[in-house]
Amino acid sequence: MDRSQKALLSPHEEVTLRHVALGSATSESISKRDLQRLRHLMLVVDVRGRIELTPLGRRRHSALPRMAEGPDVARSDAIDQLEHCIRK
């Protein structure tokens, strides 16, 4: 288990782990190779046809660096008005 916590993940494997954590990953939508490696490291399992994080996978996911926030974009009045209309 210690090996799974310390094993380096490729950027693609990290993205796959993030997708699984968000619940947006299906076996058809992600790389078979990434999925195989994450299974081997005991970070994910198949549960009733869904891919889910194991407790170790949740710890590993929470240890991943957070995604950088984008630059601050000034909001225009048009965007504010559009959001106001949509909310009505």
Side-chain angles (χ1 to χ4, degrees):
M1 197 170 342
D2 187 48
R3 179 193 70 180
S4 297
Q5 197 66 17
K6 292 181 180 181
L8 291 178
L9 297 178
S10 73
H12 293 286
E13 292 164 346
E14 283 187 13
V15 169
T16 300
L17 190 65
R18 290 178 197 276
H19 282 290
V20 172
L22 293 172
S24 62
T26 62
S27 348
E28 296 81 35
S29 69
I30 58 177
S31 162
K32 304 290 184 227
R33 190 165 127 187
D34 294 348
L35 187 56
Q36 181 180 7
R37 176 123 194 282
L38 295 177
R39 282 182 184 132
H40 177 74
L41 294 172
M42 297 178 289
L43 300 176
V44 300
V45 291
D46 293 293
V47 177
R48 294 183 293 277
R50 291 179 43 96
I51 304 163
E52 295 184 6
L53 295 179
T54 63
L56 180 60
R58 283 191 290 280
R59 286 194 301 275
R60 186 67 190 260
H61 174 259
S62 67
L64 289 175
R66 295 290 152 224
M67 302 301 287
E69 300 216 4
D72 288 336
V73 177
R75 294 174 55 98
S76 70
D77 288 336
I79 292 174
D80 290 335
Q81 290 173 1
L82 180 60
E83 279 185 352
H84 180 72
C85 290
I86 291 172
R87 286 190 183 120
K88 284 184 175 182

